[in-house]
Amino acid sequence: MSRSIHRTRKSVFDLKSRAEVEAMCDPRAPDPDVAELLKKWAFKRASIRNRKVAAASASEPVDPEGNA
């Protein structure tokens, strides 16, 4: 199953007034599209962090004798 979330800032916030955007982002009653953007942002951030960790661990020299 795909983890893709098809929401963009432009598709959610384009041509909206500042008051409309603030109402959409109200933490007590967030707009469903804004909630999807938050999920997408969190997932992308975790993916990027995991890739950086994997790249850093792959580039560390490996001691063939297992010494730290």
Side-chain angles (χ1 to χ4, degrees), residues 14 19 28 36 44 46 57 66:
D14 197 33
R28 292 170 289 181
E36 287 290 314
K44 286 181 78 168
S57 66

Side-chain angles (χ1 to χ4, degrees), residues 7-51:
R7 296 280 182 270
T8 62
R9 285 181 291 179
K10 185 174 181 179
S11 70
V12 175
F13 297 120
D14 197 33
L15 301 176
K16 302 265 193 300
S17 70
R18 183 178 178 100
E20 289 174 315
V21 170
E22 287 176 358
M24 291 172 72
C25 296
D26 182 17
R28 292 170 289 181
D31 187 82
D33 290 336
V34 174
E36 287 290 314
L37 274 177
L38 288 172
K39 287 180 193 174
K40 178 179 180 176
W41 177 77
F43 179 72
K44 286 181 78 168
R45 191 129 183 217
S47 299
I48 291 168
R49 189 178 318 116
N50 290 340
R51 272 188 262 137

